[in-house]
């Protein structure tokens, strides 16, 4: 925890290492070679973004590079997409679940066809950017070196990402990787060290204003002019003789006095601003132009000399005049949503002056548009590149219909008066006043996206890992400490990036101590320090290391303190209002997640202890029969459940049992214990397998825990190899025969336990030869989202056959039942399993390849 202690001679002082390594603001600038390398890298990134748009037909391109600490991917270059809309994704955790991060880690191209595809595969991205578009991510790699990712965006369509665009995108990424590799081989860092570069796109059409340049010696009457100047004034550039007299023939006779007066004023005052005159085009028609000129500096005859420009604004002026004549309101937004133009009708409809609108977001200057839903409409239009429309109400009784037409250069908007929507006959209500700064829509989505990472964390360890791997990189932090409150003291539960032993001095700090990590908790307000001097001034004598800025966040859930979270940044940092709001909100989410996780951990400890106590501690040892069993918890969720196995000796018989109570909770584990005890009691009493299941079913219905269970029971007689099999909704046993063949015994069975009090459970007879192997298992072993359950059972059958069918001295696992069980868990079970797994192997007689006598 980045905390201080009261200043006294014995208190901890800044370490020598900290003094030596803290960045010096007066250090010399980088060498010219390094600067040129950085410029070359930035040029490579910009070229990649442009080539991506040109070759793939995408409307947006983003280039990410790895950060210096490899924890993050940093958005270095963007084209065609407003940077403001992607602010939440300027840093992406390299270990996180985002498409960019997965692409970077795995080296695989990832394509998403639409919103539904994104929501299904990458829900956190869908929370942060809930808009309809198609996208692709391609890794920037060369050999084993991983540099970053190139991503592109297309409008959503039935075809998703164009097939031909993928190869072009990969080629662009490969060219970038080659260029970055050359820089790295030359000894230059390729990691980002500045702000995101925005690549400007070429305008969608020809310019609406033409500009011509001239140099006029008034004393001699000589004029030097470019071709554009001649064309604007209706002169043939090849025939223009460079004389002022020839120029004046192109000016309307009535405007010549004004032109000469403007020229004299420019000579007297040093400049001429926007003198308007009419000139003749080659067809003899008049049209207006603007003249701008000034007296050049450093010219001996400067007061007889003018340089300047002539502007032909006909196209733009005509377009603006046409739009001004419309009764509909017409406006334009730049890519970041600021108003760049509004016609007269917009002023009249919205009762707002153009000078108050231009340069601002509509939702900032019109209070009745301050609802985030309206900003969200603009964001949806820009990121989906699809037109959108909506109604908005201005109190007391006005309704307007807005239409937005986007492209990569911005939005053209239309607004007209409208009728209230059906069912909205009442007057619009005044918006509530904004009592304080709040994050924009993008900030809220960013907060939700990061909070969703916490919602998936179950244990305290998972919560801390989510903060370290996803939230810390998202803000560019290098150090993290999370403290929990126990007995009014702060105890470290997770840390990352701190020097060894640095935090030892703060273990057990009282919550009332005057250190920032404790004070933020006692006041309930976050504390931000933008540089070392601010922290040292507020807490003299504080222990420091290499960081340059800090955020101390209180973790408070349901009104009581849970702990504190400290994030350190390696460079001084000016925390924006939005960043402060986001970090403050995240503190609340982290606190709630920790509190939930602590309760979970307590329940988990109880349930795991209960479950372990209820499973058999040892299995019976019989002549000619060997048994091995394994239990694995699920990889997600409670990690406990109702899976159980048992082996019960009843006289000369052996009853093998496998069962599974649905759910993952203390209740499931408790029900499992009751059923295991019941099955053991009924089997020991001599009941037949079908009768055991009938009685267990009735017991479960009487207990009424609200849970169902499956079970498979085999009564086996080792003396002659006969067996009776009964199933209650459970998967079939798998048997490997002595010759190495294997089969799944899909014998007739009854329903799950706990459904029907009249249920019956048929019994099937089985003859086992010596050297056979029986596998009983729960569905967690064979379940896989990619295949049907029957295919999973068949995979187990094949694996079981291969384990013993080619037995030999060279494979130490063959003939060893425990090692067979381990191999089956590795080779059959899914690495992404979410359910528990119980497996019991029973060998009858000597197995093929068994080296035991």
């Amino acid at each position: 925890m980045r905390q201080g202690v009261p200043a006294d001679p014995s208190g901890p002082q800044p370490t020598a290492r900290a003094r030596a390594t803290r960045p010096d603001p007066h250090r010399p600038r980088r060498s010219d070679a390094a600067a040129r390398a950085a410029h070359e890298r930035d040029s490579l990134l910009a070229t990649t973004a442009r080539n991506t748009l040109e070759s793939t037909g995408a409307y947006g391109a983003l280039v990410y590079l790895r950060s210096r600490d490899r924890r993050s991917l940093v958005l270095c270059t963007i084209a065609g997409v407003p940077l403001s809309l992607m602010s939440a994704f300027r840093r992406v955790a390299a270990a996180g679940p985002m498409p960019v991060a997965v692409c970077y880690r795995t080296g695989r191209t990832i394509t998403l066809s639409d919103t539904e595809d994104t929501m299904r595969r990458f829900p956190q991205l869908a929370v942060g950017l809930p808009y309809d578009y198609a996208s692709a991510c391609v890794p920037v790699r060369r050999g084993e070196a991983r540099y970053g990712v190139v991503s592109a965006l297309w409008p959503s369509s039935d075809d998703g990402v164009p097939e031909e665009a993928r190869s072009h995108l990969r080629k662009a990424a490969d060219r970038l990787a080659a260029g970055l590799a050359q820089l790295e081989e030359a000894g230059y860092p390729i990691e980002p060290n500045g702000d995101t570069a925005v690549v400007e796109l070429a305008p969608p059409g020809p310019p609406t204003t033409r500009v011509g340049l001239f140099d006029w010696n008034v004393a001699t009457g000589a004029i030097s002019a470019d071709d554009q100047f001649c064309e604007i004034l209706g002169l043939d550039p090849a025939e223009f003789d460079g004389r002022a007299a020839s120029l004046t023939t192109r000016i309307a006779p009535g405007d010549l006095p004004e032109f000469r007066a403007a020229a004299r004023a420019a000579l007297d005052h040093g400049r001429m601003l926007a003198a308007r005159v009419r000139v003749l085009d080659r067809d003899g028609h008049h049209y207006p132009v603007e003249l701008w000129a000034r007296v050049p500096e450093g010219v001996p005859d400067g007061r007889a000399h003018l340089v300047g420009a002539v502007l032909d604004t006909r196209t733009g002026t005509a377009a603006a005049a046409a739009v001004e004549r419309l009764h509909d309101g017409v406006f334009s937004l730049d890519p970041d949503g600021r108003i760049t133009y509004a016609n007269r009708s917009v002023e009249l409809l919205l009762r707002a002056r153009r000078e108050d609108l231009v340069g601002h977001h509509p939702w900032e200057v019109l209070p009745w548009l301050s609802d985030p839903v309206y900003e969200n409409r603009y964001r949806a239009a820009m990121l989906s590149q699809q037109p959108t429309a909506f109604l908005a109400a201005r109190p007391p009784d006005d309704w307007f219909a807005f239409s937005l037409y986007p492209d990569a250069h911005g939005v053209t908007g239309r607004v007209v008066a409208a009728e209230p929507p059906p069912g909205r006959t009442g007057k619009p209500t005044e918006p509530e006043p904004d009592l304080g700064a709040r994050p924009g829509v993008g900030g809220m989505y960013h907060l939700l996206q990061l909070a969703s990472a916490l919602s998936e964390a179950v244990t305290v360890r998972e919560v801390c890992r989510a903060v370290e791997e996803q939230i810390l990189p998202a803000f560019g932090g290098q150090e993290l400490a999370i403290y929990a409150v126990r007995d009014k003291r702060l105890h470290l539960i997770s840390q990352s990036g701190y020097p060894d032993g640095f935090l030892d001095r703060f273990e057990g700090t009282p919550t009332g101590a005057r250190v920032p990590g404790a004070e933020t908790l006692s006041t309930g307000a976050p504390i931000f320090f933008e540089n070392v001097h601010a922290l040292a001034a507020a807490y003299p004598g504080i222990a420091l290391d290499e960081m340059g800025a800090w955020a101390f966040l209180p973790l408070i859930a349901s009104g009581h303190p849970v702990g504190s979270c400290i994030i350190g940044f390696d460079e001084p940092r000016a925390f924006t209002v939005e960043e402060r709001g986001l970090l403050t909100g995240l503190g609340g989410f982290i606190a709630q997640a920790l509190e939930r996780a602590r309760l979970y951990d307590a329940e988990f400890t109880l349930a795991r202890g209960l479950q372990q106590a209820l499973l058999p501690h040892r299995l019976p040892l019989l002549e000619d029969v060997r048994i091995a069993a394994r239990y694995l918890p699920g990889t997600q969720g409670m990690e406990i459940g109702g899976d159980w196995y048992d082996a019960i000796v009843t006289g000369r018989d052996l009853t093998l049992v496998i069962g599974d109570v649905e759910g993952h909770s203390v209740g499931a584990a408790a029900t499992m214990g009751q059923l295991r005890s019941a099955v053991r009691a009924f089997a020991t009493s001599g009941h037949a397998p079908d009768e055991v299941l009938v009685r267990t079913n009735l017991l479960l219905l009487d207990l009424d825990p609200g849970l169902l269970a499956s079970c498979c029971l085999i009564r086996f007689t080792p003396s002659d190899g006969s067996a009776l099999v009964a199933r209650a909704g459970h998967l079939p046993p798998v048997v490997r025969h002595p010759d190495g063949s294997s089969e799944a015994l899909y014998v007739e069975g009854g329903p799950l336990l706990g459904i029907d009090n009249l249920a019956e459970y048929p019994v099937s007879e089985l003859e086992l030869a010596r050297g056979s192997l029986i596998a009983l298992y729960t569905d967690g072993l064979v379940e896989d989202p990619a295949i049907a359950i029957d295919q999973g059972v068949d995979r187990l059958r094949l694996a079981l056959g291969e384990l013993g069918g080619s037995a030999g001295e060279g494979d130490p696992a063959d003939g060893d039942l425990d090692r067979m069980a381990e191999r089956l868990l590795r080779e059959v079970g899914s690495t992404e399993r979410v359910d528990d797994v119980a497996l019991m192997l029973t060998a009858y007689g000597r197995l093929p390849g068994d080296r035991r006598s």
Side-chain angles (χ1 to χ4, degrees):
M1 174 169 49
R2 179 73 77 261
Q3 298 186 18
V5 293
D8 64 64
S10 62
Q13 300 298 314
T15 63
R17 176 170 173 252
R19 296 177 191 270
T21 59
R22 191 173 302 128
D24 181 0
H26 304 294
R27 65 186 176 188
R29 297 176 63 184
R30 296 177 301 170
S31 68
D32 291 342
R36 286 195 299 270
H39 176 71
E40 184 176 346
R41 178 203 60 202
D42 294 343
S43 297
L44 281 170
L45 299 178
T47 299
T48 299
R50 291 193 183 96
N51 289 344
T52 295
L53 297 183
E54 293 171 1
S55 63
T56 67
Y59 68 79
L62 303 90
V63 184
Y64 286 86
L65 292 183
R66 69 195 186 198
S67 62
R68 284 177 294 174
D69 59 10
R70 304 295 197 272
R71 285 184 172 185
S72 309
L73 294 169
V74 181
L75 179 58
C76 296
T77 305
I78 187 170
V81 180
L83 179 58
S84 59
L85 301 192
M86 300 302 297
S87 60
F89 299 93
R90 292 178 73 168
R91 279 185 175 270
V92 175
M98 292 295 170
V100 169
V102 174
C103 173
Y104 173 75
R105 293 197 307 269
T106 64
R108 297 197 307 266
T109 297
I110 294 178
T111 61
L112 299 170
S113 59
D114 53 25
T115 304
E116 183 179 346
D117 193 19
T118 304
M119 178 63 76
R120 183 177 68 254
R121 297 168 56 193
F122 295 95
Q124 283 192 25
L125 175 62
V127 169
L129 289 175
Y131 307 112
D132 200 17
Y133 59 91
S135 66
C137 295
V138 174
V140 179
R141 305 183 69 166
R142 190 170 180 84
E144 296 299 318
R146 297 182 295 176
Y147 298 116
V149 172
V150 177
S151 181
L153 308 178
W154 293 264
S156 178
S157 68
D158 294 339
D159 299 328
V161 176
E163 186 64 35
E164 65 278 5
R166 305 182 192 191
S167 61
H168 290 300
L169 191 59
R170 283 191 284 268
K171 289 177 182 177
D174 289 343
R175 286 192 295 268
L176 175 59
L180 294 175
Q182 290 180 356
L183 288 175
E184 193 172 46
E185 289 167 4
Y188 297 110
I190 58 94
E191 289 78 14
N193 55 6
D195 294 332
T196 304
V198 178
V199 176
E200 295 296 332
L201 303 181
T208 58
T209 300
R210 293 192 299 165
V211 180
L213 304 178
F214 67 88
D215 185 330
W216 181 13
N217 189 324
V218 180
T220 65
I223 292 182
S224 298
D226 63 6
D227 291 351
Q228 189 86 297
F229 177 90
C230 295
E231 291 176 358
I232 292 174
L233 276 85
L235 298 167
D236 186 341
E239 298 179 359
F240 178 50
D241 57 10
R243 297 172 54 247
S246 300
L247 168 65
T248 57
T249 64
R250 309 307 305 167
I251 298 176
D255 290 350
L256 276 174
E258 183 178 349
F259 170 69
R260 292 190 178 105
R264 285 194 298 269
L267 292 172
D268 293 339
H269 301 292
R271 62 178 179 171
M272 173 173 61
L273 300 179
R276 294 177 181 270
V277 297
R278 291 171 299 158
V279 299
L280 296 170
D281 62 16
R282 295 179 183 178
D283 297 325
H285 300 128
H286 290 94
Y287 59 90
V289 299
E290 290 183 3
L291 287 166
W292 296 67
R294 66 177 177 84
V295 173
E297 297 178 358
V299 178
D301 59 344
R303 286 301 174 180
H305 209 76
L306 290 174
V307 294
V310 59
L311 280 67
D312 176 8
T313 60
R314 281 176 296 173
T315 304
T317 302
V323 175
E324 288 294 327
R325 289 190 288 269
L326 293 175
H327 292 291
D328 294 353
V330 177
F331 59 92
S332 66
L333 307 177
D334 67 13
D336 286 315
R338 292 180 177 85
I339 299 173
T340 56
Y341 170 80
N343 71 351
R344 178 65 176 165
S345 294
V346 168
E347 290 186 297
L348 297 174
L349 283 167
L350 305 186
R351 301 176 192 169
R353 299 186 308 165
R354 269 184 272 201
E355 51 265 38
D356 295 331
L357 295 173
V358 173
H360 301 281
H361 295 110
W363 48 88
E364 292 176 343
V365 294
L366 300 172
W368 47 277
L369 286 180
S370 62
D371 190 312
V373 70
Y374 301 123
E375 180 185 349
N376 196 50
R377 293 288 189 167
Y378 146 75
R379 293 169 62 86
M382 286 301 296
L383 280 173
S384 68
Q385 288 293 293
Q386 299 292 336
T388 186
F390 59 92
L391 289 175
R394 181 186 62 199
D397 52 11
D398 294 324
W399 287 87
F400 298 99
F402 286 83
S403 302
L404 304 179
Y405 304 92
D407 69 7
H409 301 271
V411 175
T412 297
R414 174 177 173 267
V415 57
V416 297
E419 295 295 325
R424 295 290 299 274
T425 56
K427 293 183 178 181
T429 58
E430 291 280 356
E432 294 184 5
D434 188 0
L435 301 179
R438 60 172 177 82
V441 172
M444 289 189 289
Y445 282 141
H446 192 193
L447 185 63
L448 291 173
Q449 177 254 320
L450 293 174
S452 66
L454 293 172
S455 69
E456 298 174 6
V458 177
T459 66
V460 169
R461 177 172 54 85
E462 290 175 352
V463 170
C464 294
R465 187 170 65 238
V467 176
E468 176 186 343
E469 294 181 355
Q470 298 191 52
I471 294 174
L472 182 66
F475 288 92
Q478 282 69 44
E479 290 185 347
L480 170 74
I482 300 178
Y483 281 77
V485 174
R486 291 199 306 271
D487 301 324
K488 297 184 178 181
R489 292 182 177 273
L490 293 172
H491 297 277
L492 183 69
I493 58 175
S494 180
Q495 70 89 18
S496 173
Y498 281 88
D500 292 341
F502 182 83
L503 297 176
D504 293 348
R505 70 199 77 190
F506 301 112
E507 182 61 24
T509 297
T511 55
R514 192 180 182 280
V515 291
E519 286 198 339
T520 188
L521 193 56
S522 60
T523 63
I527 303 174
F528 299 93
F529 294 104
E530 298 187 343
N531 53 59
V532 174
H533 301 296
L535 177 60
Y539 296 90
I542 194 169
L544 301 171
D545 60 5
E546 297 91 344
M547 295 296 102
W550 298 266
F552 296 83
L553 308 177
L555 305 182
I556 299 174
S558 302
H560 70 275
V562 174
S564 59
C565 175
I566 298 91
I567 299 177
F569 304 87
D570 62 355
E571 298 288 345
R573 182 188 188 98
F575 295 96
T576 65
V577 172
E578 184 165 59
E579 284 179 328
R580 291 171 184 252
L582 287 173
L583 287 167
T584 301
L586 277 172
F589 281 117
I590 294 170
Q592 294 288 345
L594 276 178
E595 188 71 355
R596 183 186 69 243
R598 286 166 64 176
L599 294 173
Y600 167 86
D601 283 348
E603 182 180 0
F604 169 75
T605 300
L606 172 64
R608 175 49 57 86
L610 173 63
Q611 186 178 44
Q612 294 296 332
L614 293 174
L615 289 173
H617 293 283
R618 60 181 181 179
L619 296 168
L621 299 175
L622 299 175
E623 185 178 355
D624 261 359
V625 176
R626 280 181 290 139
I627 306 173
R630 291 290 184 275
Y631 173 84
L632 288 181
T635 56
Q636 298 179 17
M638 193 67 178
E639 296 187 359
I640 62 166
D643 291 21
W644 91 91
Y645 57 85
D646 208 350
I648 308 162
V649 178
T650 54
R652 65 190 189 96
D653 295 335
L654 174 66
T655 300
L656 305 171
V657 184
I658 195 86
D660 184 1
V661 178
E662 66 174 340
H664 297 79
S665 63
V666 175
T671 301
M672 175 270 285
Q674 292 172 307
L675 294 187
R676 177 182 172 242
S677 298
V679 170
R680 174 171 280 271
F682 295 143
T684 304
S685 300
H687 292 288
D690 57 335
E691 188 65 22
V692 171
L693 293 181
V694 167
R695 290 174 177 266
T696 304
N697 177 52
L698 294 174
L699 173 65
L700 182 57
L701 287 167
D702 287 341
L703 293 173
D704 193 21
L707 299 172
L708 304 177
S710 66
C711 185
C712 181
L713 187 147
I714 300 178
R715 175 160 294 180
F716 175 55
T717 305
S719 59
D720 59 9
S722 62
L724 300 176
V725 183
R727 289 198 301 150
H730 201 84
L731 292 170
V734 176
V735 175
R736 181 175 59 73
H737 300 291
D739 61 1
S741 63
S742 58
E743 64 175 318
L745 303 178
Y746 285 98
V747 297
E748 188 179 1
L752 291 168
L753 303 174
I755 292 180
D756 181 6
N757 60 358
L758 299 177
E760 296 182 353
Y761 300 92
V763 174
S764 300
E765 296 183 356
L766 177 66
E767 296 291 335
L768 294 175
R770 298 176 65 83
S772 297
L773 179 67
I774 307 171
L776 296 177
Y777 54 94
T778 56
D779 53 7
L781 178 65
V782 295
E783 277 185 331
D784 189 322
I787 61 174
I789 190 71
D790 289 348
Q791 291 177 279
V793 173
D794 199 52
R795 187 162 62 185
L796 170 62
R797 179 188 64 79
L798 293 173
L800 196 65
E802 292 171 358
L803 281 179
S806 57
E809 296 293 323
D811 187 349
D814 290 332
D816 186 323
L817 216 56
D818 288 304
R819 294 190 181 182
M820 283 187 180
E822 295 292 343
R823 282 189 57 180
L824 286 174
L825 292 175
R826 289 195 309 268
E827 297 175 10
V828 179
S830 170
T831 57
E832 300 298 325
R833 71 178 188 281
V834 297
D835 203 357
D836 299 12
V837 174
L839 171 67
M840 186 165 64
L841 300 179
T842 303
Y844 174 42
R846 187 173 181 273
L847 295 176
D850 195 342
R851 294 185 291 276
R852 301 182 185 184
S853 58

